[in-house]
């Protein structure tokens, strides 16, 4: 059921400050910036500590109480009228890829801070408390997997699992949180430290908005995603002494697998329905230029808006890989090691975003192709997202860029969506308006 | 010009001892054997030292003087009638791959020792001195590149270059030769320590003899070989957020390159003329399952009996790769970093092998697909090789196997070829017989 949501007239005059938003992005990127204009702020390094300190200071200026949980997730909570309710969360992450940009995650946290500042500057008392949330280690670039600490909060991982994740140097996330002073006492779980809902602004990280010339999009959910290990095995043999017709070349088989996989999602109905399949990781063994590859290991990523379509692509791949292997005297093993079903965000939350976007003249709706902290948040609470256009769809790259206008549109949409939802909560509890 | 070569009648009764040959293989494989029946005797490790000591002892029993050069190459020299001449060398190598077999290289050195023992037991005084040679680090498995120390002797590499090669643990070949006591005083070069000629027995390391059911082959030369680095560059992007029609997927391009390369040498005239092309080494970047590969690095190995054919395959590849890249919005760079022109062994030496093989009823002739110490030896002196059948063409593998009968055929062919050449040398110097 989608509830009607409207902007309370008493908030109609509220507007975020675009310049302040950009100044905050600039300020927060002082720690971990790289000469090429990008960012390198791996979770829990010294730069991450500094930007966390800055975040806490900024939030405190707006009357927030700071809660840090066992995974270092920071909840900056501004009281509302009904403080028996959990806060409505506006969150994202401040950590980056090692060669990342200034918007992925950062824009979400800064938009939330901007909403907080706007509300605070206008002496608004919201109904529910407001929490600006910085989730730890969303990228997973230093401590795999991604979305680790929203995942702990959302019940996907245990705290022990989270603490025990290690970086390539052997340091654990638990140790590093302790070192930077952000291993908090608050239990990391929805049950112990709940939110009422979760909104997130994030750059699209794809080219659809840029191609469509739209500033922002309403995100209605997240694609169905599956990850696979593919192991192709043939027979090692000398490249110089083994006739071409007496080979079991694992890499030749792998090449056919890559091409067939691509064909399944670039032709016909699956392509029309937005299915995607990618093989991006490949390594051959024994890595000797004059020994025919005996083994090839690959990673396969299949996505589609509908679960039925990821299943269909998987079936096509499995059948085709088997045929390729048999024809070439190879064996192939396909192991699905991660599955994330299609996610449909809460209709009322999405409607709040939709109505807010509409007020800016934006109507585009997208299904997120990537995972975000909102995926795990949505396991526990009503969740919705706002996508902001990024130039050429480039992300995880120093060239990542969203214009000041688009960043402002994202923050303004967040403000409107959040205030609508807060009013919806008020009505739910008080009745009427 | 091919000189007539015949077995001197005074040697017609000489025959190698098949059992002794196999006993020596067994004895020499005492050091570095692995539970799976294979060998792990990396150059200049403790097992290599022990088998060198054994080799020296065995040669001394046959009245040999031992010369060890700066690169650890061992020359066990039995005097002849005319000791003003350099010795005729019978050589190969005792080092193995880390997961190697009992025949690659080892069979060549043992066959040479067997010829030495046969001659010595029969009190034969050859015309020129005889040298059984153990070349250091042929495999290059510990100290790349392969054929390093025959390469220094043959003038391809300097002694300093050879000494400075390091293993993955950072130890240099020079240090390790010193440690095992095999860094000799004899300058490592043809000029300072010449041979008159070089014969080598080696397992085929391919399946041609096995398929043809032939025990041995006369090797007339070595294929033309070229090695290339191929770098494909596209654009990194998120697998989940980047529509299929907006990608520059370096790995998809690489897959097409692998398939086209294979096609060029499996169809038409180039296939008929025995051209081979292999891509066995591949790695993608950034090795993240949800980031489209922005870079793919591959190694390409092209071979053919004729230089013109490797050039033709290279041309087809370059044109095709360029076309694939242009169509997919990629760039491709092809760098030929190693070239080894086709080698044609000395006609008289080959004829000695041919006549000797014929006496055993063997007539097959092959061009070697792989490099051997004989490649660098042939830079300086007349050279020829004998290939021995290995089961299924398997080599560089614990399953490597040549039957005792085939090993004996190899050693007997070496004996006959060597005695023919020695007689040819005698005639050249003395005239008549």
């Amino acid at each position: 059921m989608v509830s009607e949501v409207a902007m309370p007239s008493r908030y109609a005059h509220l507007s975020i400050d675009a310049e302040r938003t950009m100044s905050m992005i600039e300020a927060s990127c002082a720690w971990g910036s790289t000469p090429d204009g990008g960012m390198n702020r791996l979770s829990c390094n010294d730069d991450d500590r500094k930007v966390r300190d800055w975040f806490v200071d900024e939030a405190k200026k707006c009357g927030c109480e700071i809660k840090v949980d066992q995974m270092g997730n920071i909840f900056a909570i501004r009281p509302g009228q009904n403080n028996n309710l959990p806060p409505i969360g506006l969150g994202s992450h401040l950590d980056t890829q090692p060669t990342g940009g200034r918007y992925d995650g950062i824009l979400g946290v800064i938009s939330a801070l901007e909403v907080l500042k706007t509300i605070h500057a206008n002496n608004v008392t919201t109904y529910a408390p407001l929490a600006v949330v910085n989730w730890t280690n969303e990228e997973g670039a230093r401590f795999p997997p991604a979305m680790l600490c929203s995942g702990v909060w959302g019940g996907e991982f245990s705290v022990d699992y989270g603490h025990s994740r290690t970086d390539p140097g052997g340091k654990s996330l638990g140790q590093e949180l302790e070192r930077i002073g952000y291993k908090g006492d608050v239990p990391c779980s929805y049950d112990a430290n709940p939110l009422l809902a979760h909104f997130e602004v994030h750059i699209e990280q794809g080219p659809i908005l840029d191609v469509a010339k739209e500033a922002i999009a309403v995100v209605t959910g997240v694609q169905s995603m599956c990850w696979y290990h593919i192991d192709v095995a043939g027979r090692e043999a000398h490249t110089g002494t083994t006739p071409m017709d007496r080979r079991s070349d694992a890499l030749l088989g792998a090449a056919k697998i890559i091409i067939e996989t691509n064909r399944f999602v670039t032709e016909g109905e699956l392509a029309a329905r937005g299915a995607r399949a990618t093989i991006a990781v490949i390594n051959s063994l024994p890595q000797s230029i004059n020994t025919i590859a005996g083994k090839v290991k690959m990673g396969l990523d299949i996505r589609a808006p509908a679960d039925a379509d990821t299943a269909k692509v998987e079936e096509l791949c499995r059948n085709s890989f088997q045929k390729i292997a048999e024809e070439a005297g190879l064996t192939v093993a396909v192991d699905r090691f991660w599955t994330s079903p299609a996610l449909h965000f809460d209709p009322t939350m999405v409607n709040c975003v939709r109505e807010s976007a509409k007020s800016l003249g934006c109507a585009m709706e997208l299904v997120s192709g990537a995972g975000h902290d909102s995926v795990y948040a949505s396991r526990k609470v009503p969740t919705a997202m706002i996508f902001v256009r990024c130039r050429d769809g480039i992300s995880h790259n120093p060239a990542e860029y969203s214009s000041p206008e688009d960043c402002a549109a994202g923050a303004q949409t967040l403000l409107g969506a959040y205030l609508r939802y807060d009013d919806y909560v008020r009505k739910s509890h008080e009745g009427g308006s």
Side-chain angles (χ1 to χ4, degrees), chain A:
Chain A
M1 193 198 70
V2 181
S3 304
E4 290 299 315
V5 287
M7 186 67 151
S9 55
R10 65 188 176 283
Y11 297 151
H13 66 291
L14 293 186
S15 175
I16 63 98
D17 180 335
E19 271 185 40
R20 183 171 56 194
T21 307
M22 296 318 291
S23 299
M24 281 197 286
I25 290 179
E26 183 69 30
S28 71
C29 288
W31 302 285
S33 64
T34 53
D36 53 11
M39 292 294 293
N40 175 8
R41 191 161 64 204
L42 292 171
S43 188
C44 299
N45 70 9
D46 288 346
D47 288 316
D48 190 29
R49 176 180 60 74
K50 289 173 192 162
V51 77
R52 284 164 174 267
D53 292 349
W54 172 87
F55 170 84
V56 166
D57 284 349
E58 292 296 307
K60 280 182 176 166
K61 289 182 200 164
C62 299
C64 287
E65 173 208 359
I66 304 298
K67 278 192 186 176
V68 179
D69 76 14
Q70 298 163 298
M71 295 313 305
N73 297 318
I74 311 175
F75 299 75
I77 301 169
R78 181 172 183 271
Q81 177 189 328
N82 181 352
N83 293 307
N84 293 323
L85 288 175
I88 295 173
L90 314 181
S92 199
H93 59 95
L94 288 168
D95 70 318
T96 77
Q97 290 280 325
T99 56
R102 294 159 62 96
Y103 302 89
D104 173 4
I106 297 168
L107 180 61
V109 175
I110 300 302
S111 298
L113 273 180
E114 177 56 35
V115 168
L116 169 69
K117 291 200 173 188
T118 301
I119 284 170
H120 193 67
N122 287 276
N123 295 310
V124 171
T125 301
T126 56
Y127 182 68
L130 164 64
V132 177
V133 186
N134 173 42
W135 299 105
T136 298
N137 191 56
E138 192 274 348
E139 295 293 353
R142 182 175 179 194
F143 302 102
M147 306 176 283
L148 179 63
C149 299
S150 54
V152 174
W153 184 88
E156 174 71 10
F157 311 116
S158 71
V159 170
D160 284 349
Y161 176 84
H163 282 162
S164 69
R165 296 303 86 200
T166 52
D167 69 8
K171 287 180 183 149
S172 74
L173 176 51
Q175 289 172 322
E176 284 294 277
L177 281 168
E178 191 125 19
R179 185 184 69 81
I180 67 167
Y182 279 92
K183 191 174 182 179
D185 296 326
V186 177
C188 180
S189 75
Y190 163 77
D191 294 327
N193 181 34
L195 296 173
L196 193 65
H198 187 260
F199 282 107
E200 182 172 12
V201 169
H202 205 282
I203 57 168
E204 181 201 340
Q205 304 186 282
I208 298 173
L209 284 169
D210 200 25
V211 170
K213 301 192 193 306
E214 293 277 344
I216 60 150
V218 180
V219 185
T220 58
V222 182
Q223 285 186 355
S224 170
M225 318 178 198
C226 298
W227 286 355
Y228 306 81
H229 294 305
I230 305 173
D231 285 355
V232 185
R235 196 172 58 241
E236 289 180 17
H238 197 296
T239 58
T241 61
T242 312
M244 299 306 296
D245 60 356
R246 300 194 65 83
R247 299 177 170 208
S248 298
D249 183 338
L251 183 51
L252 187 61
K256 291 176 182 167
I257 282 173
I258 293 165
I259 285 170
E260 281 298 280
T261 299
N262 181 260
R263 198 171 61 77
F264 296 140
V265 293
T266 51
E267 289 179 357
E269 284 192 359
L270 285 165
R273 290 201 296 268
R276 290 170 191 156
T278 314
I279 296 176
V281 175
I282 188 168
N283 295 292
S284 60
L285 284 172
Q287 291 277 310
S288 160
I289 193 167
N290 59 348
T291 304
I292 295 163
K295 289 203 176 116
V296 174
K297 290 177 175 291
M298 296 186 281
L300 167 63
D301 172 307
I302 298 177
R303 308 193 185 209
D307 291 328
D309 281 346
T310 50
K312 181 69 189 159
V313 176
E314 175 180 325
E315 187 195 347
L316 285 168
C317 285
R318 284 186 187 271
N319 292 341
S320 146
F321 298 173
Q322 207 50 52
K323 190 155 163 278
I324 288 167
E326 279 166 18
E327 286 171 1
L330 306 168
T331 60
V332 64
V334 179
D335 168 36
R336 171 152 38 80
F337 67 94
W338 185 66
T339 306
S340 180
L343 201 64
H344 305 283
F345 285 144
D346 178 78
T348 303
M349 293 280 286
V350 170
N351 215 26
C352 290
V353 174
R354 185 180 290 125
E355 292 299 318
S356 180
K358 202 189 286 176
S359 72
L360 298 184
C362 296
M364 190 146 188
E365 306 211 346
L366 284 180
V367 173
S368 173
H372 297 288
D373 289 313
S374 286
V375 168
Y376 289 131
S378 76
R379 297 263 180 102
K380 299 294 181 184
V381 297
T383 295
M385 290 186 73
I386 298 152
F387 270 174
V388 172
R389 164 167 58 186
C390 59
R391 191 173 56 194
D392 295 330
I394 292 171
S395 182
H396 288 193
N397 192 300
E400 188 179 275
Y401 177 77
S402 292
S403 72
E405 296 73 25
D406 292 353
C407 293
Q412 184 65 33
T413 305
L414 179 66
L415 175 69
Y418 161 66
L419 290 173
R420 279 171 172 83
Y421 195 76
D422 185 69
D423 194 58
Y424 163 81
V425 172
R426 177 200 309 272
K427 285 177 188 156
S428 309
H429 284 76
E430 296 186 343
S433 67

